[in-house]
Amino acid sequence: MPWVITAVVSWVVFYFLVDVSQLRRTIFGGIFTLALGSLVDWGGQELNFYKFYDVIIPWAGCSIFYQFGPIFVIGIIFTQYLPRKKSLQILNIFVVAFLYLSLERLILQTPVAEYRNWHLLASLTVNIGAFTVLTWFAQTFRLAPYYIKDVSFKDE
């Protein structure tokens, strides 16, 4: 049940925060994050770092509700609100990594997930790395909405 709850809450947050006009571009941030999250969660379980239970519908060893809930949604929202300035991007990466760590901590309080050979600091490190890679991906493929407004050939 916690997997379904996280999915529902994620989609409610998505509803309030998404800019539908940008979705055509920012959805690729969600797809990239889904692929990255699936790989990390599958690998983490294969290496016996952590274990998920009661996944209902499995996806890469995790619940499809979790992968297409918070992971997919956060990829889209993160991409949509990616700041232009590097200093703000660094701050954004750390803030979102800590927020995601909070979600992880809540899930660990339920019986659907447990750390075996893992620690919250390891998760924080992986989160920072993942959001750094997502920032690079969004910039490289020009997914952030500020690129649309970026086209100016006038001398200023």
Side-chain angles (χ1 to χ4, degrees):
M1 190 61 154
W3 300 123
V4 175
I5 292 169
T6 60
V8 170
V9 170
S10 297
W11 283 99
V12 168
V13 169
F14 179 81
Y15 175 79
F16 286 109
L17 294 180
V18 72
D19 179 354
V20 176
S21 69
Q22 301 300 324
L23 197 53
R24 186 180 301 159
R25 296 166 69 104
T26 59
I27 196 166
F28 292 105
I31 293 169
F32 180 78
T33 306
L34 176 65
L36 185 61
S38 298
L39 181 65
V40 167
D41 285 340
W42 172 80
Q45 289 190 87
E46 288 294 312
L47 293 169
N48 201 34
F49 290 153
Y50 42 83
K51 180 74 177 150
F52 300 127
Y53 303 101
D54 302 326
V55 295
I56 306 169
I57 303 171
W59 174 283
C62 190
S63 172
I64 198 166
F65 293 103
Y66 187 70
Q67 295 291 339
F68 282 90
I71 292 178
F72 182 68
V73 166
I74 202 168
I76 295 170
I77 299 299
F78 184 90
T79 302
Q80 178 181 309
Y81 289 103
L82 186 66
R84 178 186 300 261
K85 293 177 69 177
K86 292 286 183 202
S87 58
L88 292 177
Q89 288 177 358
I90 292 167
L91 179 62
N92 189 49
I93 288 166
F94 278 90
V95 167
V96 176
F98 274 104
L99 287 171
Y100 191 77
L101 190 68
S102 299
L103 171 64
E104 187 174 324
R105 184 77 175 122
L106 285 172
I107 290 171
L108 286 168
Q109 300 302 310
T110 71
V112 298
E114 74 170 326
Y115 284 165
R116 291 186 169 177
N117 299 299
W118 198 245
H119 191 272
L120 275 175
L121 291 177
S123 281
L124 178 61
T125 303
V126 169
N127 293 348
I128 291 168
F131 289 115
T132 300
V133 170
L134 179 55
T135 299
W136 169 85
F137 179 80
Q139 288 181 316
T140 301
F141 294 98
R142 301 176 65 84
L143 303 178
Y146 62 76
Y147 283 112
I148 294 171
K149 302 169 194 154
D150 229 12
V151 182
S152 173
F153 298 104
K154 298 181 202 173
D155 285 331
E156 295 178 354

